[in-house]
Amino acid sequence: MAGTDSSQEIVFRPSPAIILCEPQLGENIGTTARAMANFGLWDLRLVNPRDGWPNERAIAAASRANHVIARVRVFATVEEAIADLTLVYATTARRRDLQKPVLGPDVAAQRLVGHIEGGRGAGLLFGRERWGLYNEEVALSDAIVTLPVEAAFASLNIAQAVLVLAYEWRRQSDLGAALPFTDTLAEPASKAELIGLFNHLEETLDRTGFFTAPDKRPTVVNNLRAMLSRGNFSAQEVRTLRGVISSIDRKHERPDPRRTPRKE
Amino acid sequence: MAGTDSSQEIVFRPSPAIILCEPQLGENIGTTARAMANFGLWDLRLVNPRDGWPNERAIAAASRANHVIARVRVFATVEEAIADLTLVYATTARRRDLQKPVLGPDVAAQRLVGHIEGGRGAGLLFGRERWGLYNEEVALSDAIVTLPVEAAFASLNIAQAVLVLAYEWRRQSDLGAALPFTDTLAEPASKAELIGLFNHLEETLDRTGFFTAPDKRPTVVNNLRAMLSRGNFSAQEVRTLRGVISSIDRKHERPDPRRTPRKE
């Protein structure tokens, strides 16, 4: 989906840190940075990335999320990476034998928003591509977050897991309701304009003999009016429709071209 | 995130169709199939894919979302691809000069769920990697869906846009609350067990002279009890804590090894 507005400035709002534990593929670091940028996250921390840092493949995969890539911090251990945070959730797709609460993304995001709005630091811990987080790493966290995935197909790419949680965070933060643009729907026509359309149509149909059964007329009229009300037509659209009716109506005034006048 | 449970059977529930208009890269078709599979979608339709179908790169990128890949249908036009549906939303990151409502993913998903639960067909239209959907294609839809992205970084990969909408659909469907696993938190200890712990600790602290200011004792005790209540300890954890207290306490009975007894 294209649509980036380069005239807009990147805003670095307080938001959750994303901590990737020993990421193996640079591509995943880059696509994670992009997913974060899409929803306004920017604090990306890497614990002991396999191919070191900086990583060309990560930069290429980030699709110009340079403001995230430029701020990446590398740590030797998870302990160091989360030292400054006061709330950390570990993401995992597997049940752990740990006495930890398990939250869905919506509840987790709700709590992250509350925590961060209180001026405190929070983060989300993500595991290795192949085998996720070790229990020792999950044990360092306040709760486990898992996604409501299809059990038969639960494996998400890291960047996609990050994307869902970044989206949920943004959705539940005060920014959540803010779409990049809203509709440009014209104001609906006044009821007077709409009733004008109804009368215009009904008079025309009276002339063209549309109402074959006079006793049914009130019902048919109500159905037509209900139909024409559902579209929330604007004043301009009502005028257009009346033009359409008149245009078709004129046909009745013209002689039918298929009929050649018979000689007596 | 690993965690797929292969013992589970794929379920084909009524769910929104995903329609990709003239997708350019096979990888994006494959990662879209994977994103769909993660959240239980399976009806993938391609309009005139640039590199034809089947596509090896798509199959490779699908990470074994074979049940989606196997059901892919290819159409020559968007009109044919959506012919059997009664509700279609067009996803776009750019404002269009069209008289269409603009919905966020949560509202859109809510309506999709209601429509589909009513036994009707619905679909989501996605545009080309480079320039999205044409206005004529958007015009065929019932509404526009856009994501609450950061305006300065609004460009999402197709599979990621699909992922967010698939997630929202699942979250709001009756499956939404269902996480693949829940916590295994043990039942909290009874209040009697907890009060046993309080008394044990407080008696010990009385002996070790922890309460230096007797008049402050009630307040300090209340603070300790509040602290120890917040963890929702299980009966086993309460027993463990009492063991910890006793273990430390015994130290006070033992002579301090650093002190050698003085001769009189």
Side-chain angles (χ1 to χ4, degrees):
Chain A
M1 284 163 74
T4 288
D5 178 351
S6 317
S7 72
Q8 301 265 352
E9 227 178 66
I10 302 273
V11 188
F12 295 90
R13 297 182 198 80
S15 56
I18 298 297
I19 304 117
L20 304 186
C21 293
E22 302 190 328
Q24 293 150 288
L25 303 174
E27 287 78 355
N28 287 334
I29 300 171
T31 49
T32 293
R34 180 182 184 181
M36 291 171 64
N38 284 137
F39 293 114
L41 273 56
W42 50 270
D43 183 357
L44 176 56
R45 308 177 181 194
L46 308 178
V47 176
N48 191 23
R50 188 192 67 186
D51 301 338
W53 190 261
N55 179 318
E56 282 314 318
R57 288 162 163 274
I59 293 161
S63 315
R64 297 182 303 286
N66 306 329
H67 60 291
V68 177
I69 292 294
R71 284 167 181 76
V72 164
R73 282 176 289 170
V74 178
F75 299 86
T77 65
V78 174
E79 287 83 347
E80 294 168 65
I82 64 175
D84 62 317
L85 306 175
T86 53
L87 181 70
V88 174
Y89 291 148
T91 62
T92 162
R94 279 180 291 114
R95 178 193 302 277
R96 309 295 181 125
D97 276 338
L98 290 167
Q99 291 295 301
K100 294 271 178 199
V102 172
L103 315 175
D106 43 5
V107 175
Q110 226 169 60
R111 298 190 186 174
L112 286 172
V113 167
H115 194 81
I116 287 166
E117 280 174 356
R120 292 160 295 193
L124 289 160
L125 210 53
F126 292 83
R128 298 145 189 86
E129 287 90 336
R130 276 171 205 284
W131 55 88
L133 291 166
Y134 296 126
N135 278 352
E136 308 86 85
E137 294 163 340
V138 176
L140 290 172
S141 69
D142 296 286
I144 286 170
V145 177
T146 196
L147 306 182
V149 287
E150 188 74 22
F153 200 84
S155 160
L156 254 80
N157 164 277
I158 288 185
Q160 288 178 306
V162 168
L163 184 80
V164 168
L165 284 156
Y167 162 73
E168 266 292 1
W169 173 76
R170 189 175 181 92
R171 187 178 70 84
Q172 304 214 30
S173 72
D174 54 354
L175 305 160
L179 297 175
F181 60 90
T182 55
D183 58 43
T184 53
L185 289 178
E187 200 187 348
S190 71
K191 293 308 174 192
E193 291 164 314
L194 207 58
I195 291 162
L197 167 66
F198 294 159
N199 294 334
H200 180 166
L201 177 64
E202 290 148 20
E203 286 156 16
T204 311
L205 294 177
D206 279 325
R207 268 192 294 96
T208 60
F210 176 79
F211 302 107
T212 45
D215 58 321
K216 296 270 184 305
R217 188 182 187 283
T219 318
V220 177
V221 161
N222 286 341
N223 296 343
L224 284 171
R225 291 183 168 202
M227 260 170 62
L228 293 171
S229 302
R230 276 208 308 276
N232 298 316
F233 299 134
S234 69
Q236 176 53 58
E237 290 167 331
V238 165
R239 283 193 294 277
T240 306
L241 269 176
R242 294 189 66 162
V244 167
I245 295 166
S246 306
S247 161
I248 301 171
D249 190 26
R250 270 187 221 97
K251 187 164 138 297
H252 297 278
E253 298 153 15
R254 289 195 300 272
D256 186 334
R258 290 163 305 182
R259 274 252 226 80
T260 51
R262 273 179 288 140
K263 284 231 182 73
E264 289 324 319
Chain B
M1 283 162 75
T4 288
D5 178 352
S6 317
S7 72
Q8 301 263 354
E9 226 178 65
I10 303 271
V11 188
F12 295 90
R13 298 183 198 78
S15 57
I18 298 297
I19 304 118
L20 304 187
C21 293
E22 302 190 329
Q24 292 150 287
L25 302 174
E27 286 79 355
N28 287 335
I29 300 171
T31 48
T32 293
R34 179 183 184 179
M36 290 171 65
N38 284 138
F39 293 115
L41 273 56
W42 51 270
D43 183 357
L44 177 56
R45 309 176 180 194
L46 308 179
V47 176
N48 190 22
R50 188 191 67 187
D51 301 339
W53 191 261
N55 178 318
E56 282 314 317
R57 288 161 164 276
I59 293 161
S63 315
R64 295 182 304 287
N66 305 329
H67 61 291
V68 178
I69 292 293
R71 284 168 180 76
V72 164
R73 282 177 289 169
V74 179
F75 299 86
T77 65
V78 174
E79 287 83 346
E80 293 168 64
I82 64 176
D84 62 317
L85 306 175
T86 52
L87 181 71
V88 174
Y89 291 150
T91 62
T92 162
R94 278 181 291 115
R95 179 193 303 276
R96 310 293 182 127
D97 275 338
L98 290 167
Q99 290 295 303
K100 295 271 178 198
V102 173
L103 314 174
D106 42 5
V107 175
Q110 226 169 59
R111 298 189 186 174
L112 286 172
V113 167
H115 194 81
I116 287 167
E117 279 174 356
R120 292 159 296 193
L124 288 160
L125 209 53
F126 292 83
R128 299 144 189 86
E129 287 91 335
R130 274 171 206 285
W131 55 89
L133 291 167
Y134 296 126
N135 277 352
E136 308 86 86
E137 293 162 341
V138 176
L140 289 172
S141 69
D142 297 286
I144 286 170
V145 178
T146 196
L147 306 182
V149 288
E150 189 73 24
F153 200 84
S155 159
L156 253 79
N157 164 278
I158 288 184
Q160 288 180 306
V162 169
L163 185 81
V164 167
L165 284 157
Y167 162 74
E168 265 292 1
W169 172 77
R170 189 177 181 90
R171 186 178 71 83
Q172 303 214 31
S173 72
D174 55 355
L175 305 159
L179 297 175
F181 60 90
T182 55
D183 59 42
T184 53
L185 290 177
E187 202 189 346
S190 71
K191 293 308 175 192
E193 291 165 313
L194 208 57
I195 291 162
L197 168 65
F198 295 159
N199 294 333
H200 181 167
L201 177 64
E202 289 148 20
E203 285 157 16
T204 311
L205 294 178
D206 279 326
R207 266 192 294 97
T208 60
F210 177 79
F211 301 107
T212 45
D215 57 321
K216 297 268 183 305
R217 188 181 186 281
T219 318
V220 178
V221 162
N222 286 341
N223 295 344
L224 284 171
R225 291 182 169 203
M227 260 170 60
L228 293 171
S229 303
R230 277 207 308 276
N232 298 318
F233 300 134
S234 69
Q236 176 52 57
E237 290 168 331
V238 165
R239 284 194 294 278
T240 305
L241 268 176
R242 295 189 64 164
V244 167
I245 295 166
S246 306
S247 160
I248 301 170
D249 190 27
R250 268 187 223 100
K251 187 166 137 297
H252 296 277
E253 297 154 14
R254 288 196 300 272
D256 185 335
R258 289 164 305 181
R259 274 250 226 82
T260 50
R262 272 179 290 137
K263 279 232 184 77
E264 287 328 314

